[in-house]
Amino acid sequence: MDKKGPVKGSDMGELTVWRDAAIGVKNDTVVWIGSSEEASILEASQIIDAKGRLVTPGLVEPHTHLVFGGSREKEMALKQQGVPYLEILQQGGGILSTVRATQNTPYDELLEKALFHLDRMAMHGITTVEAKSGYGLNRETELKQLQVAKEANEQHPLDIVSTFLGAHAIPPEYKDDPEAFLDEMCELFDEIKEENLAEFVDIFTETGVFSVPQSRKYLLKAKEKGFGLKIHADEIDPLGGTELAVELGAISGDHLAVTSDEGIQKLANSNTIGVILPGTSFYLGKDDYGRAREMIDAGAAIAISTDFNPGSSVTENLQLIMSIAALKLKLSPEEIWHAVTVNAAHAIGRGNVAGSIAIGRKADIVMWDAPNYLYIPYHYGVNHTNTVIKNGQVIYERQTNR
Ligand code: IZC
Ligand code: ZN
């Protein structure tokens, strides 16, 4: 996967596979790649024998709402009664209930919770994670979330890439004036930049949340301040968020479950990566899982992600999402592996450091209890990791007597 730039279109179907390979690591970096036979004459202070197991780059998770207070298990019954996600939000639940919980949760508790979820991601083979704010919707709590993500990045072995999603919902007090709320969020841009609290700015472009013109205006201001752009686009209604992502040169357009034909063409002809979140469609009981198949066939670069969040996709298990991508998006195993490694890394500005095993890169490597790469999407719903290595250090090993 040592290609320049994201892997697009039919190239996503071509995977480089080495048999009987060996990887040499010095400190935190890959310094040598060759055959096991060549490796057997080299000296090493420590040897980890994969014993014929599949070995891949650490997974890159390009879209999570990692830092939040509380949980929303009570909404499951509402969903079963058929109350739509956007209606729960309109009634002050959904995102807004997590906002209240996040505002009321002390910093240290939010940090502990985020570290717990990061541990679980690490155990599932993820070595780099994007994390969004967006459950504060006011200065104090948005900054609190971003600070938590920054400290979690320092304390936890996983790398976190931070995104400011202040424009995630309209707080009740701004119900009649969403633009005034967006102006308030814009006022945080300088402080976030100065304190290095986020690299990207994201917005939820959706019916009843922010319109395409509001999103354009907001994101243009973010771009002027030097932020990379992301958009929650075309998740539930096809408003044209995908087209907007391309128009603004966003690094990624995320969700894209109901993108138009025109949006697919524009995406294919752009450098914007489509981050598809099929776990969300599964969890919300939608029929539209995303048009990733058509996007790849048109020549686009696709990544996939859990969308880990307390409302619409409650899982840290990206392997499960790989199975959903195979079954519901009809992606091939080769396409899926690109989508959770090299392309996911490019979708969060880490294309040069994460997402592939190559000389000079950080040693982020997973050893799987699987005989080949087809096996992970095939055997679904469980954790297949055997050993997870981050920056050259073993951070997880499956405990077993077998
Ligand atoms: O908390 O429901 N879609 N934002 C946009 C989400 C899902 C997260 C949530
Ligand atoms: Zn999201």
Side-chain angles (χ1 to χ4, degrees), residues 53 366-369 384-388 396-398 400:
R53 291 186 176 92
V366 179
M367 228 160 81
W368 304 89
D369 286 316
H384 295 283
T385 54
N386 178 282
T387 303
V388 180
Y396 172 79
E397 256 179 311
R398 181 169 65 86
T400 177

Side-chain angles (χ1 to χ4, degrees), residues 289-310:
Y289 275 76
R291 303 181 68 187
R293 177 74 274 138
E294 290 156 276
M295 289 172 184
I296 294 174
D297 292 345
I302 295 301
I304 58 176
S305 152
T306 59
D307 190 17
F308 173 65
N309 77 73

